[in-house]
Amino acid sequence: MTNIKKNINSQTRWMTWDTINTIRSSLQSLMLYNFEWIENSSASNVNNKWKILRLNNSWNWLRVNWENTLIIKWWNLYIQDDIYSVNNTDILTIIVLRDETNNINWWNIYIDPNVTNIDAIIISEWSVMSYNGTQVIDSTTHTNNLKRQLFIYGNLITRNTIWQNKAIFNTDDYISTWTEITTTKYNLENLRSFQLVKTEQITSWICTNADKITAMWLNETTSITEAFAWKKNCYFDDITKSVTWWNLRSTHRVASTVIEYNPNIQVNSPKIIRMY
């Protein structure tokens, strides 16, 4: 993070930072958003009242072109739509920065339950969590809202845990109590509750006889549409609902959250994370 911050300072020194509430147009080569001291009336998580920058558009997906960098200072980011890249040179880096002068200011990256694909390097000085537009949720408390798989293709650097249900140092809950309390929301395992099921085990399904593996939805009796990465309805299905989703990535892995390293990061390393 020290090296990344040096790069940010040198590369953005003479640039203007924006303060809009929503990114709706195409992603640009370098996007800077500075929201110092701007708060909401209510908290998004614990006492986190810092406002939320929404990343979405009317097409429900965003295309990454060439090298893109999104830097957010002092706000949370809410990813509401799928993000995809096609070429090896298309790499998006998302960086959410905290205020180094104030330890009680918090920044997170929130991901909507309907998002199945994110092609990006995600760097958050705080945490990545599931968010439904109103509150932070996790698979232990909102099982039926998180039934879709999440496939992150890139890299992930955050204040989350893996398999440990606790609030580690410099998460929202840790700062609210200044201790590692027990909680499930920061465990990456709890981002989603995606679960495979054979069609003969449920009463309502969407798969054909040739593909009998789908994803379970409500009360273990029905299957959910577009639950797999690439918006697939079934595990072996190679047909997506929309032409625009053809560029999303698929995976043979069946974990609720799949994080796959993008090797092109080494070949076409974004300038913002390079070691000079």
Side-chain angles (χ1 to χ4, degrees):
M1 285 306 303
T2 299
N3 185 76
I4 290 173
K5 288 180 179 179
K6 288 181 180 179
N7 290 343
I8 291 173
N9 290 334
S10 64
Q11 295 178 33
T12 66
R13 185 169 299 162
W14 309 112
M15 298 185 66
T16 301
W17 293 66
D18 209 338
T19 56
I20 64 173
N21 293 333
T22 304
I23 304 175
R24 291 191 178 276
S25 60
S26 300
L27 297 176
Q28 305 299 314
S29 58
L30 182 59
M31 300 158 284
L32 309 174
Y33 297 89
N34 185 349
F35 305 103
E36 295 173 324
W37 306 116
I38 304 176
E39 293 187 1
N40 277 323
S41 58
S42 59
S44 58
N45 183 55
V46 195
N47 297 321
N48 187 338
K49 290 187 177 181
W50 294 111
K51 296 193 74 173
I52 299 172
L53 174 65
R54 295 173 180 264
L55 182 57
N56 63 28
N57 62 30
S58 58
W59 301 291
N60 297 322
W61 51 267
L62 293 101
R63 160 72 189 271
V64 177
N65 292 300
W66 190 234
E67 181 183 329
N68 299 262
T69 304
L70 170 60
I71 305 173
I72 303 166
K73 187 186 294 184
W74 288 37
W75 261 26
N76 300 291
L77 173 67
Y78 181 21
I79 300 175
Q80 293 182 269
D81 292 327
D82 295 282
I83 302 173
Y84 76 90
S85 59
V86 176
N87 301 315
N88 293 339
T89 54
D90 299 338
I91 297 178
L92 170 64
T93 304
I94 298 173
I95 304 174
V96 178
L97 300 171
R98 63 181 289 270
D99 172 19
E100 295 181 339
T101 66
N102 190 340
N103 287 331
I104 63 172
N105 290 350
W106 309 330
W107 300 263
N108 297 308
I109 294 178
Y110 298 137
I111 302 175
D112 192 86
N114 290 321
V115 171
T116 59
N117 291 73
I118 300 176
D119 289 3
I121 302 169
I122 297 176
I123 303 172
S124 174
E125 288 204 78
W126 261 214
S127 309
V128 169
M129 293 182 282
S130 294
Y131 186 75
N132 62 7
T134 303
Q135 62 180 326
V136 168
I137 59 179
D138 66 77
S139 64
T140 64
T141 57
H142 294 76
T143 303
N144 288 330
N145 300 100
L146 295 166
K147 287 293 189 180
R148 290 184 168 90
Q149 186 178 42
L150 175 62
F151 183 21
I152 299 175
Y153 183 71
N155 207 352
L156 186 67
I157 304 173
T158 69
R159 295 284 183 176
N160 287 84
T161 64
I162 299 177
W163 302 312
Q164 290 183 313
N165 291 325
K166 65 179 182 179
I168 63 172
F169 180 74
N170 271 354
T171 56
D172 290 3
D173 286 79
Y174 182 94
I175 289 178
S176 67
T177 61
W178 294 111
T179 184
E180 291 186 346
I181 65 171
T182 299
T183 180
T184 57
K185 68 182 79 170
Y186 302 103
N187 186 345
L188 290 177
E189 189 179 24
N190 297 325
L191 278 180
R192 299 292 172 96
S193 57
F194 176 77
Q195 185 178 356
L196 298 187
V197 62
K198 292 183 178 180
T199 55
E200 57 262 31
Q201 295 178 274
I202 55 179
T203 56
S204 176
W205 63 87
I206 53 178
C207 294
T208 64
N209 291 332
D211 186 352
K212 295 185 177 182
I213 302 177
T214 184
M216 186 182 298
W217 194 31
L218 300 174
N219 302 319
E220 302 182 358
T221 60
T222 59
S223 57
I224 184 171
T225 60
E226 301 168 7
F228 294 80
W230 196 30
K231 301 298 183 188
K232 295 194 302 182
N233 288 329
C234 315
Y235 180 71
F236 293 108
D237 191 4
D238 289 330
I239 301 175
T240 55
K241 286 286 186 179
S242 171
V243 173
T244 58
W245 285 332
W246 285 356
N247 291 317
L248 298 184
R249 298 180 188 276
S250 182
T251 176
H252 67 278
R253 296 178 174 86
V254 295
S256 292
T257 300
V258 177
I259 303 172
E260 182 176 327
Y261 180 73
N262 179 359
N264 294 308
I265 295 173
Q266 294 289 339
V267 179
N268 301 302
S269 180
K271 292 188 290 291
I272 207 72
I273 64 172
R274 289 178 188 170
M275 300 289 290
Y276 293 99

